[in-house]
Amino acid sequence: MVMPDLTFGQLVARERAARSWSQDELAAKSGLSTRAVSAIEQGRVKDPRISTVRALARALGESFFAEAYRYTDIRESV
């Protein structure tokens, strides 16, 4: 069984940091609350809703979308 190298939250944090965005900036760009972004990055949200994943993908762009798709595909096969 193949497992992702990073948790979803770590992936979000990595992509946000690569853009030099604060959690507040990512929240504003994605339409999520800062509290939600923080909870995801800290791993308090283990199984984000698909609408949340899509919102983050729209904000973070194609490279994140591909990684998020890989993550959800692996997660569904577990």
Side-chain angles (χ1 to χ4, degrees), residues 28-45:
K29 292 174 188 299
S30 65
L32 301 174
S33 68
T34 303
R35 185 175 178 178
V37 171
S38 176
I40 290 166
E41 288 187 2
Q42 292 177 12
R44 294 192 318 262
V45 175

Side-chain angles (χ1 to χ4, degrees), residues 18-65:
R19 289 159 179 78
S20 299
W21 293 349
S22 67
Q23 288 181 340
D24 290 331
E25 288 172 304
L26 177 55
K29 292 174 188 299
S30 65
L32 301 174
S33 68
T34 303
R35 185 175 178 178
V37 171
S38 176
I40 290 166
E41 288 187 2
Q42 292 177 12
R44 294 192 318 262
V45 175
K46 303 283 186 210
D47 191 17
R49 295 178 185 179
I50 192 67
S51 59
T52 300
V53 175
R54 287 180 180 147
L56 290 167
R58 280 192 301 274
L60 292 168
E62 276 187 43
S63 63
F64 175 78
F65 182 79

